[in-house]
Amino acid sequence: MTDARFPDGFLWGTATAAFQIEGAAGLREPSIWDTFCRTPGKVYGGHTGEVAVDHHRLWRDDVRLMAELGLGAYRFSVSWPRVLAGGIGFYDALVDELLSYGIKPCVTLYHWDLPQELETEGGWPERETAYAFAQYASQVSAALADRVELWTTLNEPWCSAFLGYGSGVHAPGRTSPADSLRAAHHLNLAHGLAAAALPASARTGIALNLGAVRPLTGSAADLDAARRIDALANRIFTEPLLRGAYPRDLLADTASVTDWSFVRPGDEALIHRPLGFLGVNYYTPTVVSAASDGPRDDGHGGGEHSPWPGAEDVAFHQPPGERTDMGWSIDPTGLYDLLERCAREAPGLPLLVTENGAAYAPDLHDPARIRYLEAHLAEVHRALADGAPVEGYFLWSLMDNFEWSYGYSKRFGIVHVDYETQARTPRSSAHWYARLARTGALRAGS
């Protein structure tokens, strides 16, 4: 393989999320993840995000580290609970610091940390939460939009809806199939309302953890299982976003769960607003079959309840071969497939890889992570060569952090964090990525 060169202007960045890195819990309102962490048995080791990796205190050092690595962009999320507590100034200063180093700030408005007070009032299954989100988006926009061009409304709304309200393995830990579908719609609505609240000068998108859904075999039953999961993983979001309507097969598949009466006239038009870009998050493919007695581990933390309403009988399979520390199979072709599909279904819409990365052991020398990243970026380059309008790549994650229900047991960072001292040490992968960001050349065997 010869060098794969990315185009000039390609955006090289890293990504984080507020609850996973900031800490300073006393300077914000409680979120659903604070409550979830305090619930025995929900989070590995009883870990919490109260301190996390102390980014709220160490943010200047972290920005300087990004600059030393030569990163062109930083995708971070704003904590809604912190804004409620009057903490928008933290993000105002962070944006200024990033710009002073020539790093493009990319703001995500929601990365799963719903204020607990809104969950107490019903959370995402309630329509009022979408309107509250639009008000919050307006407040953040008023503070930051003069300096921030790229905005992501929601990160992985599938996880918020189906892991939070379906399987219960994420906060708030509820297990209602009907509520998970209600939540998915109100998250879609929240995106549309928030996008309308941002200025016309903003490039507004959404980050979806689209599934590269594949049938285990070519049988009619397995093909139909893949269709059903594709509707719940992908088209429940992409169809209203890109077409202005929910897919008919999704409505039919879930008719035994809900009548979808929570979708009001005009909702789908509100969701179907022009996008400035579509964000794609990818880690591992999804392989399914129709076998009712097959395995149920879909890579999302197990649990007694399914996150797939109306498709509880579908089996999920982990392909053989190398896996990351999350137990996820490694198949970079899934990223190519998703980028190619997005380019085909939304011609001309700019694409960003808003998350991609791997968890491995805490070692500072991490050749397995470098191999993972190189293989996936080779597929990004292949998609570019085939005409997909991919404009940038955000590696997950800048540094080790709180990995949701896994606590601090899984490490995605290209920067190692000593959780006792909060010392940051770039791994081999950080230096590898810094060279790539500097040269734009993906070298064979690097």
Side-chain angles (χ1 to χ4, degrees), residues 4-17:
R5 290 200 167 271
F6 286 81
D8 292 343
F10 191 84
L11 204 57
W12 297 104
T14 56
T16 64

Side-chain angles (χ1 to χ4, degrees), residues 368-380:
R369 180 177 284 110
I370 293 173
R371 289 194 301 271
Y372 177 100
L373 295 172
E374 184 176 50
H376 284 76
L377 279 160
E379 294 299 314
V380 175

Side-chain angles (χ1 to χ4, degrees), residues 113-397:
D113 50 351
L114 183 71
Q116 179 59 45
E117 65 181 79
L118 290 175
E119 173 59 25
T120 301
E121 295 169 2
W124 284 114
E126 298 302 319
R127 188 178 185 88
E128 288 70 22
T129 305
Y131 292 113
F133 182 71
Q135 293 176 347
Y136 154 69
S138 294
Q139 185 178 357
V140 178
S141 172
L144 305 181
D146 60 326
R147 288 155 292 152
V148 176
E149 176 194 4
L150 287 174
W151 293 78
T152 303
T153 53
L154 307 172
N155 182 79
E156 298 186 353
W158 186 90
C159 294
S160 297
F162 295 108
L163 300 183
Y165 295 93
S167 68
V169 298
H170 276 195
R174 288 159 59 178
T175 55
S176 166
D179 278 351
S180 69
L181 290 168
R182 290 174 60 92
H185 173 63
H186 293 137
L187 284 154
N188 279 334
L189 182 62
H191 160 78
L193 294 169
L198 291 167
S201 60
R203 290 186 63 196
T204 303
I206 186 170
L208 302 177
N209 56 316
L210 297 173
V213 183
R214 298 166 174 172
L216 183 65
T217 74
S219 71
D222 285 2
L223 288 168
D224 190 62
R227 177 199 60 76
R228 292 160 66 195
I229 296 303
D230 181 68
L232 287 165
N234 299 328
R235 290 182 287 120
I236 191 172
F237 300 108
T238 58
E239 289 296 296
L241 284 166
L242 301 176
R243 307 279 180 263
Y246 284 102
R248 291 183 179 181
D249 63 325
L250 169 71
L251 305 184
D253 290 343
T254 57
S256 63
V257 180
T258 180
D259 61 5
W260 289 81
S261 59
F262 47 81
V263 180
R264 297 184 184 176
D267 280 4
E268 289 158 309
L270 285 171
I271 298 165
H272 180 47
R273 296 186 57 84
L275 289 170
F277 66 91
L278 180 62
V280 176
N281 294 3
Y282 175 80
Y283 294 93
T284 187
T286 302
V287 180
V288 300
S289 74
S292 59
D293 58 349
R296 290 288 182 271
D297 182 10
D298 61 1
H300 294 293
E304 298 178 2
H305 301 270
S306 171
W308 304 101
E312 291 86 354
D313 57 331
V314 171
F316 291 79
H317 305 264
Q318 290 292 329
E322 187 181 356
R323 301 187 185 188
T324 69
D325 200 36
M326 294 291 288
W328 297 342
S329 64
I330 300 172
D331 188 343
T333 64
L335 181 52
Y336 172 88
D337 291 347
L338 290 175
L339 294 173
E340 188 276 333
R341 175 179 176 175
C342 290
R344 184 178 68 252
E345 295 184 355
L349 178 63
L351 304 175
L352 290 173
V353 178
T354 35
E355 283 186 28
N356 176 240
Y360 284 107
D363 305 10
L364 291 178
H365 182 52
D366 55 345
R369 180 177 284 110
I370 293 173
R371 289 194 301 271
Y372 177 100
L373 295 172
E374 184 176 50
H376 284 76
L377 279 160
E379 294 299 314
V380 175
H381 188 270
R382 181 161 73 100
L384 266 168
D386 288 346
V390 187
E391 295 187 349
Y393 176 92
F394 290 85
L395 188 156
W396 185 273
S397 175

